[in-house]
Amino acid sequence: MLSRGFSGSWGELVGVGQNLIESPELEQHSEQVCRAIAGRLRSALNGYRDAFLSEDYLVYAINELEPPVSAEELVTSRGEEIATMLRGERQPLSEQEKTAILRHRISYLVDDLVVPTWNAALVYDTPGGAQAALEILEFANSQLLEFRYYDELLDNQLAQIYAQLQRPKWYDKWIGSRYAKAAQQVHSLFIDVNELTDRTENALKFVGDIYAARLFTLVADRLGLTRWKANVKEKLETLDDIYRFAVEQSAMARGQFLELTVIVILVLELVLILMGVMKP
């Protein structure tokens, strides 16, 4: 998390946001910092990847206004600036776009406000309240990264499994090693991803804090987290179907191999009988 203090006019704050949202320089600096930290931890990490998944998110945390205003007064008087800040646009937004942005907001008290979007959010609260909102925003973004990772992982693994099943060896028809190997690989991946997604889902519990739960739900909706979860779930279901198919094919191949073995034994006995080596 990178942060900087600010004190000034709304016009100046809008200008700061326009420079920070989707800033290649800031993204490059952030990645360098992350790589430096990951490099120091590398000896303690398993499965270190050189390619990083990234998800940048900008939050305007406003703790004090002069003069103090309520959440509704803030939206009414500064709605245009808030919408422009959250989009990072330099051109005026349409009324339709401003309405769409400001419609997704939440307040607990009269004088607090959170307006989340897919890449930025405005938080108007006391320092303590703003920190709690920031933690929820950070957790939602970390979940988004995790499910993006699982989605990419499953795409790559499914492509490998499809290729493996579509290029059989000549002996696979009889012993089914290709299907047995695929079934083992699929089952292992299915268990691993299911365990990780369950941990992700259970990592945060809102016990008795209805507002925090509502805020997380709103932020997750704005980030499209539900869609990513659905993608991962669909691919896990596909993995389950492939596993069942592979197990069935492996069982059929083994059955055919056993039948062939019995036939070979009977033919061998018949030949030995005809040669007089064995008696009927």
Side-chain angles (χ1 to χ4, degrees):
M1 181 187 293
L2 302 177
S3 62
R4 57 168 292 188
F6 174 82
S7 177
S9 67
W10 279 95
E12 292 170 331
L13 184 58
V14 170
V16 170
Q18 290 169 339
N19 293 326
L20 293 181
I21 287 185
E22 298 181 359
S23 167
E25 295 81 9
L26 183 58
E27 291 176 16
Q28 183 179 7
H29 173 66
S30 301
E31 182 174 342
Q32 290 173 349
V33 173
C34 289
R35 287 190 179 277
I37 296 172
R40 291 169 59 189
L41 299 173
R42 188 162 186 169
S43 61
L45 298 175
N46 292 323
Y48 181 87
R49 305 192 323 159
D50 290 324
F52 283 9
L53 277 178
S54 64
E55 194 69 41
D56 59 282
Y57 201 83
L58 179 66
V59 180
Y60 303 89
I62 301 175
N63 301 133
E64 187 177 353
L65 289 172
E66 272 305 326
V69 296
S70 68
E72 288 303 317
E73 290 171 341
L74 179 60
V75 172
T76 301
S77 62
R78 297 297 179 179
E80 184 169 352
E81 287 93 338
I82 292 173
T84 302
M85 287 162 48
L86 296 178
R87 283 290 182 261
E89 294 290 346
R90 299 183 183 276
Q91 300 297 323
L93 296 174
S94 67
E95 287 298 326
Q96 183 182 25
E97 183 64 17
K98 286 188 288 186
T99 301
I101 294 170
L102 297 174
R103 182 173 67 247
H104 300 282
R105 64 181 190 267
I106 185 171
S107 297
Y108 183 69
L109 299 175
V110 174
D111 56 354
D112 67 56
L113 174 69
V114 180
V115 186
T117 65
W118 69 274
N119 67 334
L122 178 133
V123 177
Y124 174 45
D125 207 337
T126 62
Q131 181 59 38
L134 285 172
E135 290 173 358
I136 292 174
L137 289 162
E138 182 180 5
F139 182 79
N141 273 277
S142 69
Q143 275 208 341
L144 176 61
L145 269 177
E146 288 190 63
F147 279 97
R148 278 183 55 200
Y149 168 75
Y150 300 143
D151 185 74
E152 180 182 336
L153 173 67
L154 291 172
D155 277 339
N156 294 335
Q157 292 295 321
L158 283 171
Q160 292 178 16
I161 291 167
Y162 288 147
Q164 180 182 336
L165 292 177
Q166 290 170 359
R167 291 198 299 268
K169 301 290 191 298
W170 64 269
Y171 50 80
D172 278 324
K173 182 177 179 181
W174 302 106
I175 63 176
S177 61
R178 168 177 57 130
Y179 299 111
K181 183 178 179 181
Q184 183 179 8
Q185 180 182 355
V186 167
H187 193 244
S188 175
L189 180 62
F190 182 84
I191 292 175
D192 286 346
V193 176
N194 252 331
E195 180 185 5
L196 291 170
T197 52
D198 285 343
R199 287 183 182 179
T200 301
E201 290 289 318
N202 295 327
L204 185 64
K205 297 292 187 181
F206 298 104
V207 180
D209 195 336
I210 299 175
Y211 173 72
R214 288 172 55 212
L215 175 57
F216 178 78
T217 301
L218 175 61
V219 174
D221 178 67
R222 303 301 289 153
L223 292 176
L225 188 55
T226 303
R227 185 178 69 253
W228 285 101
K229 289 181 180 180
N231 288 344
V232 171
K233 183 178 179 181
E234 288 174 4
K235 287 166 186 173
L236 285 174
E237 291 173 353
T238 301
L239 273 180
D240 190 42
D241 291 339
I242 293 174
Y243 172 71
R244 295 176 187 277
F245 168 79
V247 168
E248 290 174 0
Q249 294 297 315
S250 180
M252 290 174 58
R254 287 171 181 166
Q256 292 174 343
F257 179 74
L258 289 175
E259 290 176 3
L260 178 62
T261 303
V262 171
I263 293 172
V264 170
I265 292 173
L266 291 176
V267 171
L268 180 61
E269 287 182 350
L270 180 60
V271 170
L272 292 176
I273 290 172
L274 291 176
M275 293 174 62
V277 177
M278 291 180 59
K279 294 182 179 180

